[in-house]
Amino acid sequence: MSTTQGERAVPRQGVSAADRAADPAATLNDLIDARLYMPFPFRSSPHEAEAAAGTDAWLDSCGLTAEPGVAGMIVRTRPAQLASYITPDVDADILHLVARQIAYQFVFDDRAEEVGLDGPDRLLPMLCESVAILRDGRPPTTALGAALADLYGQVRRRCTPAQAARWAGYSREYVHGLMYEAVAQNGAAPPHLGLCTSIRSLTAGVEPFYPLCEAAEAEEMAPGELHHPLMRRLTRLSVDAAVWIPDLYSAVKEQRAGGLINLALGYQRAYGCSLAEAVLPAIRRINSTIREFERIRAELEPQLSTAALGYLDGMTGWIRGCYHWSRAVPRYADSARAPAR
């Protein structure tokens, strides 16, 4: 089920007694590992260490690690590791670009969350600066804006004009999504599950990376392949699965911080149950999404060019990479200690 299909009515009794008793898991991580369907084996890039060093140097050159807490956050999130797990087969140039963009989005997302706590209106300057850079090519006025402008320049140099335009368009959608998240976080009542997943889809920040997956191929995809209805459906499924999997592992951290836009926490509010119980229907939804992705991919693959197959590999990489990264990243270590009951 895609995030585009809201769930306004959720049964109160969402977790069965059989579900509650079936797993001997000791921790939340054990429970996730036992139930989550992950058909894609672990992969990593041989250029990971180089990408990590390059990402640290780039963040320093942009002045971002001078900001309080950023250097420690990068250590806890390991953006180059995530890039390595997602895109293990791309050349070093694309891997560096993916790692830098992941690092930038981690910094931007954390800053937006912090600023938005004081009200959505406080976010307007940083969001409007980003949109002006991405849409109009306006010069930056902040360190974050300068980093985005530099990243956009790297994208334009490596990608075709059409790919770079798609990157900018998807990036603007991500920026707008952060405003929706701030509105929801400051609302009079927590958002219902359907609204929560819709906002989560916007704030995922995954789709801007798909043009980079396309740019890693020798040829550009044909419009008929890129805009094929089944390819568009695969895009939604891959984004949903890629962002919902980290939600399982980050739920403990988000709950402690008062976060609302998280799949597991959305089910917890809908069902009025414990977090461990809420993880079960969240996992079932993810499993269904991954299986639908597999089925449609198998149906579409025989019709596709080499470029389109590489694009699909990028989508698959996001699902696989987010799983293996989420299980090990220090940022989500609390889930490895949280009880499963």
Side-chain angles (χ1 to χ4, degrees):
M1 183 181 295
S2 169
T3 53
T4 57
Q5 300 173 349
E7 292 190 6
R8 293 186 175 275
V10 179
R12 177 73 176 179
Q13 184 59 38
V15 183
S16 69
D19 268 336
R20 288 194 293 269
D23 284 300
T27 70
L28 200 58
N29 271 19
D30 293 335
L31 181 62
I32 297 167
D33 286 346
R35 291 296 190 96
L36 187 68
Y37 176 62
M38 182 49 56
F40 312 121
F42 173 79
R43 302 279 310 285
S44 64
S45 170
H47 307 295
E48 181 181 324
E50 179 187 344
T55 299
D56 289 343
W58 180 75
L59 290 168
D60 287 342
S61 70
C62 294
L64 294 183
T65 45
E67 299 289 333
V70 169
M73 182 273 289
I74 293 298
V75 170
R76 293 191 300 276
T77 56
R78 300 176 181 172
Q81 184 184 75
L82 178 54
S84 168
Y85 293 178
I86 290 165
T87 52
D89 299 318
V90 300
D91 60 53
D93 183 44
I94 289 287
L95 182 68
H96 280 237
L97 189 48
V98 171
R100 289 168 187 166
Q101 184 173 339
I102 290 172
Y104 167 79
Q105 288 187 192
F106 283 160
V107 176
F108 193 86
D109 192 85
D110 278 8
R111 181 76 59 80
E113 183 177 348
E114 178 184 350
V115 173
L117 288 175
D118 294 327
D121 58 307
R122 299 290 300 275
L123 274 179
L124 288 173
M126 64 181 289
L127 301 188
C128 286
E129 179 189 34
S130 296
V131 170
I133 292 168
L134 293 166
R135 186 189 62 196
D136 305 322
R138 296 283 296 275
T141 59
T142 66
L144 266 176
L148 176 60
D150 184 73
L151 195 61
Y152 192 13
Q154 295 178 50
V155 170
R156 289 196 297 267
R157 288 190 292 273
R158 179 59 198 253
C159 296
T160 67
Q163 291 165 351
R166 286 195 289 276
W167 181 92
Y170 290 141
S171 296
R172 290 197 302 271
E173 184 176 271
Y174 159 70
V175 169
H176 292 143
L178 294 175
M179 177 58 75
Y180 302 150
E181 181 177 36
V183 171
Q185 284 287 146
N186 286 272
H192 60 73
L193 182 58
L195 186 59
C196 174
T197 54
S198 293
I199 295 172
R200 191 69 182 101
S201 179
L202 292 170
T203 61
V206 171
E207 281 180 278
F209 292 90
Y210 290 164
L212 302 183
C213 296
E214 185 184 358
E217 299 303 314
E219 296 181 1
E220 192 170 7
M221 287 173 63
E225 291 182 315
L226 184 64
H227 301 295
H228 191 288
L230 290 182
M231 186 68 81
R232 294 175 66 87
R233 179 61 180 162
L234 286 170
T235 300
R236 292 267 34 92
L237 292 168
S238 62
V239 169
D240 286 348
V243 73
W244 288 342
I245 290 169
D247 275 3
L248 300 175
Y249 293 92
S250 69
V252 175
K253 178 183 78 69
E254 291 295 322
Q255 186 177 53
R256 289 174 180 168
L260 299 175
I261 309 304
N262 175 287
L263 181 68
L265 296 183
Y267 273 106
Q268 183 183 31
R269 292 192 301 272
Y271 292 163
C273 60
S274 71
L275 181 56
E277 290 174 319
V279 160
L280 296 172
I283 290 174
R284 285 196 294 271
R285 186 166 183 178
I286 295 168
N287 290 351
S288 175
T289 300
I290 293 174
R291 287 191 168 95
E292 184 181 353
F293 178 89
E294 282 189 298
R295 179 182 59 77
I296 295 177
R297 173 169 180 159
E299 178 182 347
L300 191 59
E301 272 183 322
Q303 311 171 36
L304 298 179
S305 66
T306 300
L309 290 173
Y311 191 73
L312 275 181
D313 285 342
M315 293 185 187
T316 304
W318 268 95
I319 299 173
R320 176 192 62 235
C322 285
Y323 168 67
H324 291 289
W325 171 80
S326 297
R327 295 174 73 242
V329 71
R331 186 177 175 94
Y332 301 155
D334 288 345
S335 66
R337 296 186 291 267
R341 299 183 185 280

